[in-house]
Amino acid sequence: MKRLLFLLLLISSLAYGQQDWDALLQKYNEDTVPYITATQTATALTSGKKVVVLDAREAEEYQTSHLPDAIFVGYDDFELSKEAKKSLKEADQIIVYCTVGVRSEDIGALLLQKGYTNVQNLKGGILSWKNNEFEVYDMNQQPTEAVHVYGPSWGKYLIKGTAVHD
């Protein structure tokens, strides 16, 4: 009976978390870039296809933690390096992320305007990625539990890991 109760609580908390992402992103985004989930992103990264992951946060956030092999492009001073442009031209799939998926929508939309195709926005951003228990890496490429949550109000969306903010 205790296991059943635990399972029901777990399922309801996962469903509630999903509703929170939907409501949050609906409030801030215009759905200009298709979403991809953390699980779909993890599958894409192991598919054998050329998947490029872009981090659309600020340098301090990226240095605290980022997805595996993510390329930092920034947000306020968004810029594609020569290496990033080369990777994007060769990409089968481009996944952009930020903390929750708001800034990454803006950067994804810019990429679409520049003619890049198959651009997707990681729904729930790095917080969703970590909440799904996927690894994040620090500036030394070592696994870390620290996740930059942009600010204190966004920390409530991080269930797994250690929230860090300014």
Side-chain angles (χ1 to χ4, degrees):
M1 184 65 173
K2 286 183 182 179
R3 286 185 183 181
L4 179 61
L5 180 59
F6 174 76
L7 183 60
L8 290 173
L9 286 173
L10 179 64
I11 291 169
S12 66
S13 69
L14 290 174
Y16 180 75
Q18 184 63 42
Q19 290 171 350
D20 279 356
W21 289 128
D22 291 342
L24 176 71
L25 294 173
Q26 192 171 40
K27 179 178 179 181
Y28 292 102
N29 285 356
E30 297 176 9
D31 293 327
T32 57
V33 181
Y35 290 112
I36 185 170
T37 67
T39 303
Q40 291 169 327
T41 298
T43 300
L45 291 173
T46 60
S47 69
K49 292 183 179 180
K50 175 73 172 158
V51 179
V52 175
V53 179
L54 301 178
D55 188 310
R57 301 175 300 151
E58 298 306 321
E60 181 181 347
E61 296 171 272
Y62 176 83
Q63 291 168 357
T64 300
S65 57
H66 54 269
L67 272 63
D69 299 320
I71 299 170
F72 173 74
V73 294
Y75 180 76
D76 288 337
D77 298 316
F78 169 68
E79 185 177 336
L80 293 173
S81 66
K82 287 181 184 179
E83 294 82 21
K85 288 178 184 176
K86 183 177 186 285
S87 292
L88 291 177
K89 285 181 183 176
E90 299 169 353
D92 296 315
Q93 187 173 6
I94 301 167
I95 300 171
V96 187
Y97 76 93
C98 62
T99 303
V100 296
V102 177
R103 293 176 288 174
S104 51
E105 181 183 55
D106 293 342
I107 298 303
L110 285 173
L111 292 170
L112 290 170
Q113 289 172 4
K114 291 179 182 267
Y116 293 101
T117 59
N118 206 8
V119 177
Q120 296 171 297
N121 183 5
L122 177 56
K123 187 176 192 174
I126 195 170
L127 302 187
S128 176
W129 178 263
K130 187 63 180 165
N131 288 346
N132 278 278
E133 300 185 11
F134 297 119
E135 288 283 358
V136 294
Y137 297 88
D138 64 19
M139 64 184 179
N140 298 314
Q141 303 308 317
Q142 297 298 310
T144 183
E145 289 300 308
V147 178
H148 202 294
V149 295
Y150 186 70
S153 63
W154 301 107
K156 68 183 178 184
Y157 295 100
L158 183 67
I159 298 166
K160 309 280 183 172
T162 304
V164 176
H165 58 79
D166 300 331

